[in-house]
Amino acid sequence: MSPHTTSSPQPLDTWSRDRTHWLELPAHRSSVSLARRSMSERLAAWRLPGELCADTVLLVSELATNAVRHTLGTRFLCGVGLVTDGCLRLEVHDHDRTGRGLPRCEPGPDDEGGRGLLLVEQLSSAWGVDRSRLTGGNAVWATLTG
């Protein structure tokens, strides 16, 4: 599985504040639920379609979990931006500066985990991984449309 994109879209850190929402959290398991709740509240405030909100919150959960479980950082950033009324860009930045990139995972049929990036691939119209200008680690992004 590899990211699928035709070009590297403009990162969220260059967007206007009224169209973006950011939070920085410690790299702890409990932070994943905080990220979900905060993003869900922002998406509801933007009055986006329910399925788009649900998919975005699911991907926030998956990417935040990856940042907590698979990187060496002590904090991570989550951001969401309103591209258009029915299109969002989601980003999760970690502080892992090892340059390892995303771990490859081939889950077996009985494995309980390891399918997060498969969900990202299925639910997003495009996604990718860049070096984060904000943290120096990985910036995993996804574009979702409703």
Side-chain angles (χ1 to χ4, degrees):
M1 166 188 39
S2 62
H4 61 283
T5 180
T6 55
S7 64
S8 183
Q10 182 182 20
L12 286 179
D13 63 320
T14 61
W15 294 17
S16 68
R17 291 184 185 191
D18 62 328
R19 297 183 67 81
T20 59
H21 176 65
W22 282 99
L23 63 148
E24 182 176 18
L25 296 165
H28 298 293
R29 292 170 120 181
S30 61
S31 295
V32 175
S33 64
L34 293 173
R36 277 195 310 265
R37 187 171 39 253
S38 178
M39 292 298 172
S40 181
E41 289 169 0
R42 173 55 62 173
L43 298 173
W46 284 338
R47 293 183 167 87
L48 296 168
E51 187 174 337
L52 177 60
C53 294
D55 289 349
T56 302
V57 170
L58 175 60
L59 296 191
V60 165
S61 183
E62 294 298 331
L63 295 178
T65 298
N66 284 353
V68 170
R69 293 184 69 201
H70 301 296
T71 68
L72 302 175
T74 59
R75 301 191 68 74
F76 67 96
L77 294 169
C78 285
V80 66
L82 189 57
V83 179
T84 64
D85 287 340
C87 181
L88 294 172
R89 178 175 164 102
L90 168 66
E91 294 182 13
V92 175
H93 298 243
D94 63 46
H95 288 264
D96 188 351
R97 296 180 182 176
T98 64
R100 294 179 298 159
L102 297 179
R104 294 284 172 216
C105 190
E106 299 289 333
D110 296 329
D111 291 341
E112 291 183 17
R115 293 175 181 81
L117 292 179
L118 293 171
L119 285 171
V120 173
E121 186 172 35
Q122 292 299 309
L123 296 177
S124 65
S125 55
W127 73 282
V129 183
D130 296 315
R131 181 63 43 206
S132 172
R133 298 180 342 186
L134 301 174
T135 66
N138 300 303
V140 183
W141 60 268
T143 303
L144 294 97
T145 55

